[in-house]
PDB file of all heavy atoms in Angstrom:
ATOM      1  N   GLY C   1     -83.958-105.396 -60.144  1.00  0.00           N
ATOM      2  CA  GLY C   1     -83.156-104.175 -60.225  1.00  0.00           C
ATOM      3  C   GLY C   1     -81.689-104.474 -60.435  1.00  0.00           C
ATOM      4  O   GLY C   1     -81.003-103.788 -61.214  1.00  0.00           O
ATOM      5  N   SER C   2     -81.185-105.520 -59.761  1.00  0.00           N
ATOM      6  CA  SER C   2     -79.788-105.902 -59.944  1.00  0.00           C
ATOM      7  C   SER C   2     -79.538-106.410 -61.372  1.00  0.00           C
ATOM      8  O   SER C   2     -78.504-106.090 -61.976  1.00  0.00           O
ATOM      9  CB  SER C   2     -79.427-106.989 -58.924  1.00  0.00           C
ATOM     10  OG  SER C   2     -78.050-107.324 -59.014  1.00  0.00           O
ATOM     11  N   CYS C   3     -80.500-107.163 -61.907  1.00  0.00           N
ATOM     12  CA  CYS C   3     -80.369-107.618 -63.302  1.00  0.00           C
ATOM     13  C   CYS C   3     -80.370-106.449 -64.271  1.00  0.00           C
ATOM     14  O   CYS C   3     -79.582-106.417 -65.240  1.00  0.00           O
ATOM     15  CB  CYS C   3     -81.535-108.562 -63.639  1.00  0.00           C
ATOM     16  SG  CYS C   3     -81.450-110.177 -62.858  1.00  0.00           S
ATOM     17  N   ARG C   4     -81.205-105.447 -64.017  1.00  0.00           N
ATOM     18  CA  ARG C   4     -81.274-104.297 -64.907  1.00  0.00           C
ATOM     19  C   ARG C   4     -79.961-103.519 -64.877  1.00  0.00           C
ATOM     20  O   ARG C   4     -79.475-103.039 -65.919  1.00  0.00           O
ATOM     21  CB  ARG C   4     -82.443-103.404 -64.488  1.00  0.00           C
ATOM     22  CG  ARG C   4     -83.829-104.022 -64.732  1.00  0.00           C
ATOM     23  CD  ARG C   4     -84.284-103.820 -66.173  1.00  0.00           C
ATOM     24  NE  ARG C   4     -84.321-102.420 -66.517  1.00  0.00           N
ATOM     25  CZ  ARG C   4     -85.288-101.575 -66.161  1.00  0.00           C
ATOM     26  NH1 ARG C   4     -86.330-102.022 -65.460  1.00  0.00           N
ATOM     27  NH2 ARG C   4     -85.238-100.319 -66.526  1.00  0.00           N
ATOM     28  N   GLU C   5     -79.397-103.335 -63.700  1.00  0.00           N
ATOM     29  CA  GLU C   5     -78.131-102.621 -63.596  1.00  0.00           C
ATOM     30  C   GLU C   5     -77.015-103.379 -64.289  1.00  0.00           C
ATOM     31  O   GLU C   5     -76.142-102.776 -64.944  1.00  0.00           O
ATOM     32  CB  GLU C   5     -77.764-102.407 -62.126  1.00  0.00           C
ATOM     33  CG  GLU C   5     -78.533-101.292 -61.450  1.00  0.00           C
ATOM     34  CD  GLU C   5     -78.277 -99.951 -62.097  1.00  0.00           C
ATOM     35  OE1 GLU C   5     -77.088 -99.579 -62.262  1.00  0.00           O
ATOM     36  OE2 GLU C   5     -79.256 -99.277 -62.474  1.00  0.00           O
ATOM     37  N   THR C   6     -77.046-104.687 -64.205  1.00  0.00           N
ATOM     38  CA  THR C   6     -76.042-105.504 -64.876  1.00  0.00           C
ATOM     39  C   THR C   6     -76.216-105.424 -66.388  1.00  0.00           C
ATOM     40  O   THR C   6     -75.220-105.334 -67.132  1.00  0.00           O
ATOM     41  CB  THR C   6     -76.151-106.974 -64.420  1.00  0.00           C
ATOM     42  OG1 THR C   6     -76.051-107.009 -62.979  1.00  0.00           O
ATOM     43  CG2 THR C   6     -75.044-107.810 -65.017  1.00  0.00           C
ATOM     44  N   ALA C   7     -77.435-105.443 -66.851  1.00  0.00           N
ATOM     45  CA  ALA C   7     -77.696-105.300 -68.285  1.00  0.00           C
ATOM     46  C   ALA C   7     -77.132-103.972 -68.782  1.00  0.00           C
ATOM     47  O   ALA C   7     -76.517-103.896 -69.860  1.00  0.00           O
ATOM     48  CB  ALA C   7     -79.199-105.389 -68.559  1.00  0.00           C
ATOM     49  N   LYS C   8     -77.345-102.913 -68.023  1.00  0.00           N
ATOM     50  CA  LYS C   8     -76.851-101.595 -68.410  1.00  0.00           C
ATOM     51  C   LYS C   8     -75.336-101.612 -68.526  1.00  0.00           C
ATOM     52  O   LYS C   8     -74.750-101.038 -69.464  1.00  0.00           O
ATOM     53  CB  LYS C   8     -77.294-100.567 -67.374  1.00  0.00           C
ATOM     54  CG  LYS C   8     -76.896 -99.140 -67.694  1.00  0.00           C
ATOM     55  CD  LYS C   8     -77.435 -98.185 -66.632  1.00  0.00           C
ATOM     56  CE  LYS C   8     -77.032 -96.744 -66.905  1.00  0.00           C
ATOM     57  NZ  LYS C   8     -77.540 -95.840 -65.849  1.00  0.00           N
ATOM     58  N   ALA C   9     -74.644-102.285 -67.593  1.00  0.00           N
ATOM     59  CA  ALA C   9     -73.190-102.367 -67.631  1.00  0.00           C
ATOM     60  C   ALA C   9     -72.727-103.150 -68.855  1.00  0.00           C
ATOM     61  O   ALA C   9     -71.734-102.794 -69.496  1.00  0.00           O
ATOM     62  CB  ALA C   9     -72.673-103.024 -66.344  1.00  0.00           C
ATOM     63  N   LEU C  10     -73.434-104.216 -69.192  1.00  0.00           N
ATOM     64  CA  LEU C  10     -73.047-105.042 -70.346  1.00  0.00           C
ATOM     65  C   LEU C  10     -73.254-104.318 -71.664  1.00  0.00           C
ATOM     66  O   LEU C  10     -72.617-104.677 -72.674  1.00  0.00           O
ATOM     67  CB  LEU C  10     -73.838-106.345 -70.343  1.00  0.00           C
ATOM     68  CG  LEU C  10     -73.479-107.363 -69.256  1.00  0.00           C
ATOM     69  CD1 LEU C  10     -74.497-108.509 -69.272  1.00  0.00           C
ATOM     70  CD2 LEU C  10     -72.074-107.891 -69.467  1.00  0.00           C
ATOM     71  N   LEU C  11     -74.131-103.330 -71.689  1.00  0.00           N
ATOM     72  CA  LEU C  11     -74.479-102.644 -72.922  1.00  0.00           C
ATOM     73  C   LEU C  11     -73.861-101.251 -73.026  1.00  0.00           C
ATOM     74  O   LEU C  11     -74.326-100.421 -73.772  1.00  0.00           O
ATOM     75  CB  LEU C  11     -75.999-102.551 -73.054  1.00  0.00           C
ATOM     76  CG  LEU C  11     -76.721-103.899 -73.185  1.00  0.00           C
ATOM     77  CD1 LEU C  11     -78.227-103.696 -73.118  1.00  0.00           C
ATOM     78  CD2 LEU C  11     -76.337-104.595 -74.472  1.00  0.00           C
ATOM     79  N   GLN C  12     -72.788-101.012 -72.276  1.00  0.00           N
ATOM     80  CA  GLN C  12     -72.160 -99.691 -72.318  1.00  0.00           C
ATOM     81  C   GLN C  12     -71.682 -99.303 -73.710  1.00  0.00           C
ATOM     82  O   GLN C  12     -71.652 -98.123 -74.045  1.00  0.00           O
ATOM     83  CB  GLN C  12     -70.982 -99.652 -71.332  1.00  0.00           C
ATOM     84  CG  GLN C  12     -71.390 -99.684 -69.862  1.00  0.00           C
ATOM     85  CD  GLN C  12     -70.180 -99.715 -68.970  1.00  0.00           C
ATOM     86  OE1 GLN C  12     -69.704 -98.676 -68.533  1.00  0.00           O
ATOM     87  NE2 GLN C  12     -69.682-100.904 -68.702  1.00  0.00           N
ATOM     88  N   ASP C  13     -71.319-100.290 -74.524  1.00  0.00           N
ATOM     89  CA  ASP C  13     -70.818-100.005 -75.855  1.00  0.00           C
ATOM     90  C   ASP C  13     -71.893-100.173 -76.924  1.00  0.00           C
ATOM     91  O   ASP C  13     -71.589-100.211 -78.130  1.00  0.00           O
ATOM     92  CB  ASP C  13     -69.629-100.913 -76.169  1.00  0.00           C
ATOM     93  CG  ASP C  13     -68.415-100.561 -75.320  1.00  0.00           C
ATOM     94  OD1 ASP C  13     -68.243 -99.365 -75.013  1.00  0.00           O
ATOM     95  OD2 ASP C  13     -67.668-101.487 -74.979  1.00  0.00           O
ATOM     96  N   GLY C  14     -73.135-100.259 -76.540  1.00  0.00           N
ATOM     97  CA  GLY C  14     -74.231-100.351 -77.493  1.00  0.00           C
ATOM     98  C   GLY C  14     -75.001-101.644 -77.389  1.00  0.00           C
ATOM     99  O   GLY C  14     -74.499-102.660 -76.913  1.00  0.00           O
ATOM    100  N   GLY C  15     -76.224-101.620 -77.851  1.00  0.00           N
ATOM    101  CA  GLY C  15     -77.099-102.787 -77.803  1.00  0.00           C
ATOM    102  C   GLY C  15     -78.449-102.406 -77.229  1.00  0.00           C
ATOM    103  O   GLY C  15     -78.768-101.205 -77.098  1.00  0.00           O
ATOM    104  N   ARG C  16     -79.229-103.389 -76.878  1.00  0.00           N
ATOM    105  CA  ARG C  16     -80.587-103.126 -76.446  1.00  0.00           C
ATOM    106  C   ARG C  16     -80.977-104.033 -75.288  1.00  0.00           C
ATOM    107  O   ARG C  16     -80.575-105.200 -75.254  1.00  0.00           O
ATOM    108  CB  ARG C  16     -81.544-103.328 -77.604  1.00  0.00           C
ATOM    109  CG  ARG C  16     -82.980-102.897 -77.314  1.00  0.00           C
ATOM    110  CD  ARG C  16     -83.475-102.044 -78.416  1.00  0.00           C
ATOM    111  NE  ARG C  16     -84.767-101.499 -78.127  1.00  0.00           N
ATOM    112  CZ  ARG C  16     -85.599-101.060 -79.052  1.00  0.00           C
ATOM    113  NH1 ARG C  16     -85.258-101.135 -80.320  1.00  0.00           N
ATOM    114  NH2 ARG C  16     -86.748-100.538 -78.743  1.00  0.00           N
ATOM    115  N   GLN C  17     -81.761-103.512 -74.388  1.00  0.00           N
ATOM    116  CA  GLN C  17     -82.252-104.271 -73.246  1.00  0.00           C
ATOM    117  C   GLN C  17     -83.759-104.494 -73.413  1.00  0.00           C
ATOM    118  O   GLN C  17     -84.515-103.588 -73.767  1.00  0.00           O
ATOM    119  CB  GLN C  17     -81.984-103.501 -71.954  1.00  0.00           C
ATOM    120  CG  GLN C  17     -82.431-104.226 -70.712  1.00  0.00           C
ATOM    121  CD  GLN C  17     -82.178-103.451 -69.421  1.00  0.00           C
ATOM    122  OE1 GLN C  17     -82.827-103.666 -68.415  1.00  0.00           O
ATOM    123  NE2 GLN C  17     -81.226-102.523 -69.462  1.00  0.00           N
ATOM    124  N   TYR C  18     -84.175-105.743 -73.181  1.00  0.00           N
ATOM    125  CA  TYR C  18     -85.593-106.089 -73.173  1.00  0.00           C
ATOM    126  C   TYR C  18     -85.937-106.741 -71.840  1.00  0.00           C
ATOM    127  O   TYR C  18     -85.058-107.315 -71.171  1.00  0.00           O
ATOM    128  CB  TYR C  18     -85.933-107.069 -74.285  1.00  0.00           C
ATOM    129  CG  TYR C  18     -85.900-106.524 -75.680  1.00  0.00           C
ATOM    130  CD1 TYR C  18     -84.800-106.762 -76.510  1.00  0.00           C
ATOM    131  CD2 TYR C  18     -86.951-105.767 -76.194  1.00  0.00           C
ATOM    132  CE1 TYR C  18     -84.768-106.271 -77.799  1.00  0.00           C
ATOM    133  CE2 TYR C  18     -86.917-105.270 -77.483  1.00  0.00           C
ATOM    134  CZ  TYR C  18     -85.806-105.528 -78.276  1.00  0.00           C
ATOM    135  OH  TYR C  18     -85.763-105.017 -79.555  1.00  0.00           O
ATOM    136  N   ILE C  19     -87.198-106.691 -71.498  1.00  0.00           N
ATOM    137  CA  ILE C  19     -87.721-107.471 -70.378  1.00  0.00           C
ATOM    138  C   ILE C  19     -88.543-108.612 -70.948  1.00  0.00           C
ATOM    139  O   ILE C  19     -89.353-108.420 -71.857  1.00  0.00           O
ATOM    140  CB  ILE C  19     -88.575-106.591 -69.443  1.00  0.00           C
ATOM    141  CG1 ILE C  19     -87.683-105.536 -68.765  1.00  0.00           C
ATOM    142  CG2 ILE C  19     -89.291-107.446 -68.404  1.00  0.00           C
ATOM    143  CD1 ILE C  19     -88.457-104.495 -67.968  1.00  0.00           C
ATOM    144  N   LEU C  20     -88.322-109.813 -70.409  1.00  0.00           N
ATOM    145  CA  LEU C  20     -89.112-110.967 -70.819  1.00  0.00           C
ATOM    146  C   LEU C  20     -90.208-111.162 -69.797  1.00  0.00           C
ATOM    147  O   LEU C  20     -89.947-111.559 -68.654  1.00  0.00           O
ATOM    148  CB  LEU C  20     -88.230-112.211 -70.928  1.00  0.00           C
ATOM    149  CG  LEU C  20     -88.921-113.498 -71.393  1.00  0.00           C
ATOM    150  CD1 LEU C  20     -89.673-113.276 -72.702  1.00  0.00           C
ATOM    151  CD2 LEU C  20     -87.940-114.637 -71.520  1.00  0.00           C
ATOM    152  N   SER C  21     -91.430-110.859 -70.210  1.00  0.00           N
ATOM    153  CA  SER C  21     -92.597-110.880 -69.326  1.00  0.00           C
ATOM    154  C   SER C  21     -93.397-112.151 -69.542  1.00  0.00           C
ATOM    155  O   SER C  21     -93.655-112.538 -70.690  1.00  0.00           O
ATOM    156  CB  SER C  21     -93.469-109.650 -69.591  1.00  0.00           C
ATOM    157  OG  SER C  21     -94.781-109.855 -69.115  1.00  0.00           O
ATOM    158  N   ALA C  22     -93.816-112.766 -68.457  1.00  0.00           N
ATOM    159  CA  ALA C  22     -94.654-113.966 -68.546  1.00  0.00           C
ATOM    160  C   ALA C  22     -95.997-113.660 -69.189  1.00  0.00           C
ATOM    161  O   ALA C  22     -96.615-114.543 -69.808  1.00  0.00           O
ATOM    162  CB  ALA C  22     -94.869-114.570 -67.161  1.00  0.00           C
ATOM    163  N   ALA C  23     -96.457-112.431 -69.087  1.00  0.00           N
ATOM    164  CA  ALA C  23     -97.768-112.049 -69.644  1.00  0.00           C
ATOM    165  C   ALA C  23     -97.653-111.464 -71.032  1.00  0.00           C
ATOM    166  O   ALA C  23     -98.584-111.605 -71.835  1.00  0.00           O
ATOM    167  CB  ALA C  23     -98.456-111.048 -68.714  1.00  0.00           C
ATOM    168  N   HIS C  24     -96.545-110.788 -71.347  1.00  0.00           N
ATOM    169  CA  HIS C  24     -96.455-110.025 -72.586  1.00  0.00           C
ATOM    170  C   HIS C  24     -95.315-110.462 -73.496  1.00  0.00           C
ATOM    171  O   HIS C  24     -95.215-109.972 -74.622  1.00  0.00           O
ATOM    172  CB  HIS C  24     -96.261-108.540 -72.267  1.00  0.00           C
ATOM    173  CG  HIS C  24     -97.359-107.960 -71.422  1.00  0.00           C
ATOM    174  ND1 HIS C  24     -98.606-107.661 -71.903  1.00  0.00           N
ATOM    175  CD2 HIS C  24     -97.378-107.648 -70.088  1.00  0.00           C
ATOM    176  CE1 HIS C  24     -99.350-107.167 -70.926  1.00  0.00           C
ATOM    177  NE2 HIS C  24     -98.633-107.143 -69.822  1.00  0.00           N
ATOM    178  N   GLY C  25     -94.445-111.337 -73.073  1.00  0.00           N
ATOM    179  CA  GLY C  25     -93.281-111.681 -73.892  1.00  0.00           C
ATOM    180  C   GLY C  25     -92.228-110.606 -73.840  1.00  0.00           C
ATOM    181  O   GLY C  25     -92.008-109.987 -72.773  1.00  0.00           O
ATOM    182  N   LEU C  26     -91.576-110.345 -74.950  1.00  0.00           N
ATOM    183  CA  LEU C  26     -90.522-109.332 -74.989  1.00  0.00           C
ATOM    184  C   LEU C  26     -91.113-107.928 -74.880  1.00  0.00           C
ATOM    185  O   LEU C  26     -92.001-107.572 -75.651  1.00  0.00           O
ATOM    186  CB  LEU C  26     -89.715-109.418 -76.275  1.00  0.00           C
ATOM    187  CG  LEU C  26     -88.692-110.542 -76.388  1.00  0.00           C
ATOM    188  CD1 LEU C  26     -87.995-110.471 -77.742  1.00  0.00           C
ATOM    189  CD2 LEU C  26     -87.673-110.468 -75.269  1.00  0.00           C
ATOM    190  N   LEU C  27     -90.603-107.158 -73.956  1.00  0.00           N
ATOM    191  CA  LEU C  27     -91.107-105.813 -73.740  1.00  0.00           C
ATOM    192  C   LEU C  27     -89.987-104.797 -73.906  1.00  0.00           C
ATOM    193  O   LEU C  27     -88.901-104.950 -73.321  1.00  0.00           O
ATOM    194  CB  LEU C  27     -91.681-105.661 -72.321  1.00  0.00           C
ATOM    195  CG  LEU C  27     -93.043-106.295 -72.039  1.00  0.00           C
ATOM    196  CD1 LEU C  27     -93.321-106.265 -70.545  1.00  0.00           C
ATOM    197  CD2 LEU C  27     -94.144-105.582 -72.816  1.00  0.00           C
ATOM    198  N   ASP C  28     -90.242-103.732 -74.671  1.00  0.00           N
ATOM    199  CA  ASP C  28     -89.396-102.569 -74.627  1.00  0.00           C
ATOM    200  C   ASP C  28     -89.600-101.889 -73.283  1.00  0.00           C
ATOM    201  O   ASP C  28     -90.710-101.915 -72.730  1.00  0.00           O
ATOM    202  CB  ASP C  28     -89.758-101.598 -75.761  1.00  0.00           C
ATOM    203  CG  ASP C  28     -89.469-102.187 -77.120  1.00  0.00           C
ATOM    204  OD1 ASP C  28     -88.285-102.427 -77.419  1.00  0.00           O
ATOM    205  OD2 ASP C  28     -90.426-102.403 -77.882  1.00  0.00           O
TER     206      ASP C  28
END
């Protein structure tokens, strides 16, 4: 959750967030 909040702060001016899953790879 802390990583997700930090990602949101880093992308305030645009961009995209993905999750890297051990089972699925890159996830929207």
Side-chain angles (χ1 to χ4, degrees):
S2 184
C3 289
R4 291 278 302 282
E5 283 298 308
T6 305
K8 183 178 179 181
L10 289 172
L11 296 173
Q12 290 177 92
D13 291 327
R16 188 132 186 201
Q17 182 181 156
Y18 290 101
I19 293 172
L20 181 54
S21 160
H24 303 285
L26 283 180
L27 285 171
D28 295 295

